[in-house]
Amino acid sequence: ARNDMFAMQKSDSVMRGVKRTTRAVSVFAGLCALSPFCGGSALADTHKPSPSEIVETAQDTYHHVIFENEDIRLMRVVIPPHGKTRWHRQSLDYVNTPIVGTTIHKDSLSEPARDGTMKPGEVRYLPYSQKSDVDQVINTGDTVNAQVTFEIKRKGIGHFGPAERANTQAFRMILDKPVVRGWHVHLEPGQGTGDYTQSGPGVRVFLTGGRLMTREKGAVVFSEKHMSQGDADVLAKGTFEVINGGMEPMDYNEYELR
């Protein structure tokens, strides 16, 4: 009988210990859900750059300027597997279109470090004109990370028109911000957008390649270009029609400043 009572007391003691441990694990899990520092990432040890290590975005090793005017700075970003950008300053509103996505790690001087995944065609808008940042991006994947990005150099809103595509169903809105709008366009072979008016400067980013045919309203002759995945065009104001003149479906994102 004494042995049975001892066993019961021991069992009660073990159960109380299990309950305390369970509560501790539950509290810790709750804290991890609220904290960016759980998960084994040594974020607290991130190297903070000296002023001499910080460059403008356009001067970064992997940000390549391919077009620039008074409104837009268009860049091709190509980060090799496990490559790391320099610490670069972001102070202009920024629109990013991943072409080939990977996992990434981002360190920032104004925000906690974080890990994420860039997905092809998934547009990101970052309003750096309202709050600038200095950051560094690491491609943590085993393949190249390819993006097309542009900075909006003209600050403020209302410089151009409303940026509407209501008269054509070919455009599906994917971005709606005070300074810029964006749409995704999918065209089957031979399919066109119909005429639409662009009232501000814009950018067209190709997610797939193909034969692009365009003409201004009233014109008879089409302009024809062969595009590759990741190509980008800067667009002037006007009224246009676009046709997929190739044999495969075509996908692109189109953006217009407001």
Side-chain angles (χ1 to χ4, degrees):
R2 283 197 301 271
N3 288 340
D4 291 344
M5 184 170 290
F6 175 76
M8 291 176 63
Q9 290 173 344
K10 184 176 181 181
S11 177
D12 289 345
S13 175
V14 170
M15 289 303 296
R16 285 195 295 271
V18 169
K19 289 179 180 179
R20 285 195 297 270
T21 303
T22 301
R23 284 196 295 269
V25 170
S26 178
V27 171
F28 180 73
L31 290 174
C32 275
L34 298 174
S35 171
F37 299 103
C38 293
S41 182
L43 303 182
D45 296 332
T46 299
H47 165 70
K48 299 303 181 184
S50 65
S52 63
E53 294 178 274
I54 299 171
V55 299
E56 298 300 320
T57 300
Q59 297 171 335
D60 172 59
T61 307
Y62 299 125
H63 286 72
H64 309 286
V65 179
I66 56 176
F67 177 88
E68 184 169 4
N69 62 15
E70 65 275 13
D71 299 311
I72 291 169
R73 180 181 292 126
L74 181 64
M75 291 177 282
R76 185 176 306 285
V77 183
V78 184
I79 309 175
H82 307 287
K84 178 191 300 185
T85 70
R86 300 172 69 179
W87 285 94
H88 52 282
R89 183 178 293 104
Q90 309 261 28
S91 57
L92 297 172
D93 290 348
Y94 189 87
V95 178
N96 172 284
T97 307
I99 304 300
V100 179
T102 63
T103 56
I104 63 167
H105 176 83
K106 180 181 177 180
D107 293 311
S108 167
L109 295 189
S110 63
E111 299 176 349
R114 62 182 184 271
D115 297 302
T117 301
M118 285 188 174
K119 298 180 180 179
E122 192 171 87
V123 61
R124 296 188 308 151
Y125 168 76
L126 300 164
Y128 288 126
S129 67
Q130 300 173 29
K131 182 183 177 182
S132 62
D133 191 17
V134 173
D135 62 33
Q136 179 184 65
V137 176
I138 303 172
N139 175 6
T140 55
D142 295 325
T143 57
V144 67
N145 180 294
Q147 313 162 37
V148 174
T149 71
F150 64 92
E151 294 177 315
I152 301 173
K153 296 174 62 177
R154 193 187 296 265
K155 295 185 178 182
I157 61 176
H159 298 295
F160 307 105
E164 295 284 356
R165 298 289 190 275
N167 64 329
T168 172
Q169 296 183 355
F171 290 80
R172 176 175 61 85
M173 184 174 286
I174 56 174
L175 181 65
D176 187 7
K177 299 298 179 182
V179 296
V180 61
R181 276 181 168 169
W183 302 265
H184 178 77
V185 179
H186 173 86
L187 297 176
E188 291 293 324
Q191 184 180 6
T193 60
D195 288 342
Y196 68 95
T197 298
Q198 181 180 309
S199 52
V203 174
R204 185 183 291 142
V205 180
F206 289 86
L207 306 176
T208 62
R211 182 182 290 114
L212 180 78
M213 298 168 57
T214 60
R215 68 177 175 186
E216 293 190 45
K217 186 175 181 179
V220 175
V221 179
F222 280 89
S223 172
E224 186 173 273
K225 296 170 65 175
H226 289 267
M227 312 303 296
S228 298
Q229 181 187 31
D231 281 351
D233 278 338
V234 175
L235 309 173
K237 296 185 289 185
T239 299
F240 308 97
E241 178 185 12
V242 176
I243 293 177
N244 176 4
M247 303 301 291
E248 300 292 336
M250 175 181 289
D251 287 88
Y252 61 86
N253 288 355
E254 189 164 301
Y255 306 96
E256 182 179 336
L257 304 192
R258 303 176 72 182

